[in-house]
Amino acid sequence: MPHAVSRLRADRLARSAKPFLARGGSRRVHCPGCRLVTSHCICALRPPCDTRAGMCLLMHDIEPLKPSNTGWLIADLVADTHAFGWARTEVDPALLALLADPQWQPYVVFPGEFVAPERVVQQVAPAVDSAGKRPLFVLLDATWSEARKMFRKSPYLDALPVLSLHPGQVSGYRLRRAAHGHHFRTAEVAALCLELAGESHAAETLSAWLDVFSTHYLSAKRNLPLDRESAAHQRLRGLAALKAARPCDAAGPVNSCSGRPQAANRA
Ligand SMILES: [Zn+2]
């Protein structure tokens, strides 16, 4: 079953009047599971990942078509990932229904200095808060200038708290890529959100998955040799092994192992 971003990409392609040609795109055969050229496919490396948090991606027009889009990687790992194409003049009723669903506590992730202070939060309730709600992170998947416009022109977001991220506030989280002003890659933002929700293993796994994807993507794009023993590969394998050894504990402190009796944790 293709995930939410894969389906959105297929929908967007179907609406294209002419074929989308990525900058520097090649005519080599690409894997439908990961979008990489088949020689660099990462599908077999996809790690297990449990999280109680959800992700809601609002994707700017051609974002789902970009081969380097990292929203795809979020959907690879976070089971409850929803993806919607953004439009100024209309909104998908399914998006409104998701934001109103009482099982979720939505947060719009956006820099706090652009928002009225009373809306801004810097902490997230645990993966399941005392009211039984799970965090749903609304991510604007776009360039920075597009994201600002999307934020201003989406009145259905106005009532939601704004989660303002400061990578330094999360101890132990290493932001490896230089931040371009306010703009991080979408999968990095999602990893920070998971960390704030207390889901450290999922956060680290998503971060490592992004690194492995980037390694394969750049190797294919630049015709460089692919190192399958890179630090990123080893980190991803280590996280998967940890998960296999301790399927509940590794996922985080709070109810992360949905559906399993608590007694299994103490074995
Ligand atoms: Zn693949």
Side-chain angles (χ1 to χ4, degrees):
M1 174 79 174
H3 61 47
V5 177
S6 176
R7 294 197 302 274
L8 188 61
R9 175 185 164 87
D11 288 351
R12 184 61 185 76
L13 277 172
R15 286 192 287 110
S16 294
K18 57 185 181 188
F20 175 79
L21 289 176
R23 236 178 345 173
S26 74
R27 301 196 181 282
R28 291 181 283 179
V29 178
H30 290 250
C31 169
C34 64
R35 306 165 296 167
L36 293 162
V37 290
T38 49
S39 57
H40 289 63
C41 169
I42 55 172
C43 291
L45 306 178
R46 188 194 296 193
C49 184
D50 268 353
T51 170
R52 297 279 295 160
M55 298 286 168
C56 174
L57 299 171
L58 296 189
M59 304 182 82
H60 199 263
D61 185 36
I62 64 163
E63 204 59 47
L65 302 181
K66 293 182 184 170
S68 59
N69 171 273
T70 67
W72 182 288
L73 306 176
I74 300 169
D76 282 340
L77 299 194
V78 177
D80 279 312
T81 296
H82 308 261
F84 300 93
W86 183 84
R88 188 177 58 79
T89 52
E90 57 188 359
V91 53
D92 187 333
L95 170 59
L96 300 180
L98 176 68
L99 296 177
D101 185 333
Q103 76 166 305
W104 298 111
Q105 170 57 59
Y107 298 89
V108 190
V109 181
F110 201 73
E113 58 263 49
F114 299 94
V115 185
E118 59 271 22
R119 283 183 71 192
V120 177
V121 298
Q122 293 186 352
Q123 301 293 330
V124 174
V128 176
D129 70 14
S130 55
K133 288 178 183 284
R134 302 156 63 191
L136 177 72
F137 299 105
V138 180
L139 307 180
L140 307 179
D141 197 2
T143 66
W144 169 235
S145 62
E146 289 164 353
R148 290 180 69 167
K149 181 178 164 193
M150 291 163 70
F151 184 82
R152 281 201 318 272
K153 296 182 183 288
S154 304
Y156 45 89
L157 301 179
D158 288 350
L160 304 179
V162 173
L163 177 63
S164 183
L165 296 175
H166 300 275
Q169 84 192 87
V170 182
S171 66
Y173 188 85
R174 294 159 296 141
L175 197 67
R176 277 160 297 279
R177 258 155 249 88
H180 304 291
H182 294 290
H183 209 66
F184 307 113
R185 298 175 80 187
T186 307
E188 286 181 302
V189 171
L192 268 172
C193 291
L194 292 172
E195 187 75 50
L196 284 175
E199 307 231 28
S200 299
H201 185 269
E204 281 289 321
T205 303
L206 178 55
S207 173
W209 186 232
L210 170 63
D211 281 351
V212 166
F213 169 80
S214 300
T215 301
H216 284 236
Y217 176 81
L218 291 175
S219 162
K221 189 172 178 182
R222 297 176 183 165
N223 281 317
L224 298 170
L226 178 59
D227 177 8
R228 293 179 186 274
E229 293 299 323
S230 74
H233 288 81
Q234 293 184 32
R235 194 159 71 96
L236 189 70
R237 281 202 296 269
L239 286 160
L242 182 65
K243 178 92 186 117
R246 300 165 65 194
C248 294
D249 296 358
V254 186
N255 294 337
S256 295
C257 203
S258 49
R260 284 170 196 264
Q262 285 295 307
N265 282 337
R266 301 188 199 105

